[in-house]
Amino acid sequence: TQLLEQSPQFLSIQEGENLTVYCNSSSVFSSLQWYRQEPGEGPVLLVTVVTGGEVKKLKRLTFQFGDARKDSSLHITAAQPGDTGLYLCAGATRSGGGADGLTFGKGTHLIIQP
Amino acid sequence: DAMVIQNPRYQVTQFGKPVTLSCSQTLNHNVMYWYQQKSSQAPKLLFHYYDKDFNNEADTPDNFQSRRPNTSFCFLDIRSPGLGDTAMYLCATSSGSGLMRANYGYTFGSGTRLTVV
């Protein structure tokens, strides 16, 4: 069973601060995806990282895939109240045509206070 | 806009009374997934369809069934809901084949919040 551990589980910070969310596993993933989920809604894909060491930027969000493709991080610069939500990382595995659903972490509940 | 639509958004059902949740997509994606997400937990894959091929997760209870009559629609049937089945049920789609399918990312619907009383 592949597990993805996210930390921290809960984070409440002031507007303008920086933060980093971590996603770790002992398993190797072919890709890692980050989603943001608002209350009562489905997750929305933010980014997919595929190559070990890859860094992708989405405005104030920076995503990194570990060199060994076992971990990933999400860094938010100058957080804003609109960044509030549940951030989920999800790992995809190589599949020989069988079930290939994503393995999700439990998520990080982020609250940005004005 | 192309999207994944789930109905209903909220559903309350009685213990043991069969319930069906629906999902439709306009993306023409060949893969459709059903996830269960309980409060403060990660989404858990129940099963998925690759075209018409059904793939069940090993730990999905027999109480949960699915139908995909065509590319656009997929249904989740819970034959005898228990209190522990109260959760958000998420439908997702993806396209491509094999590894690339996983790397494309999934498009999720807004979910159906099911409450069993």
Side-chain angles (χ1 to χ4, degrees), chain A residues 31 33 35 37 40-41 100 105, chain B residues 9 37 42 101-103 106 110:
Chain A
S31 70
Q33 300 166 15
Y35 293 81
Q37 185 176 21
E41 298 293 331
D100 67 344
Chain B
R9 288 295 304 273
Q37 185 178 26
R101 178 168 71 240
N103 291 348
Y106 293 10
S110 296

Side-chain angles (χ1 to χ4, degrees), chain B residues 60-104:
Chain B
T60 298
D62 292 340
N63 201 23
F64 290 81
Q65 303 288 322
S66 186
R67 297 170 283 135
R68 189 179 186 185
N70 53 55
T71 301
S72 301
F73 286 87
C74 195
F75 300 96
L76 169 60
D77 300 308
I78 308 177
R79 292 189 296 189
S80 182
L83 300 179
D85 297 329
T86 291
M88 170 80 91
Y89 289 87
L90 295 163
C91 174
T93 70
S94 68
S95 65
S97 61
L99 176 61
M100 293 308 298
R101 178 168 71 240
N103 291 348
Y104 286 161

Side-chain angles (χ1 to χ4, degrees), chain A residues 10 30-31 33 35 37 39-45 48 50 86 88 92-95 97-107 109, chain B residues 9-10 31 33 35 37 40-45 48 55-57 88 90 94 98-99 101-111 113:
Chain A
F10 299 93
S30 59
S31 70
Q33 300 166 15
Y35 293 81
Q37 185 176 21
E41 298 293 331
V44 175
L45 179 67
T48 299
V50 179
L86 174 65
L88 294 160
T93 58
R94 297 183 184 277
S95 170
D100 67 344
L102 295 174
T103 298
F104 280 89
K106 286 190 174 182
H109 294 266
Chain B
R9 288 295 304 273
Y10 302 92
V31 191
Y33 307 82
Y35 281 84
Q37 185 178 26
S40 298
Q41 294 186 21
K44 178 181 178 298
L45 181 65
H48 76 280
N55 297 272
N56 197 32
E57 291 299 294
M88 170 80 91
L90 295 163
S94 68
L99 176 61
R101 178 168 71 240
N103 291 348
Y104 286 161
Y106 293 10
T107 302
F108 282 86
S110 296
R113 183 167 295 281

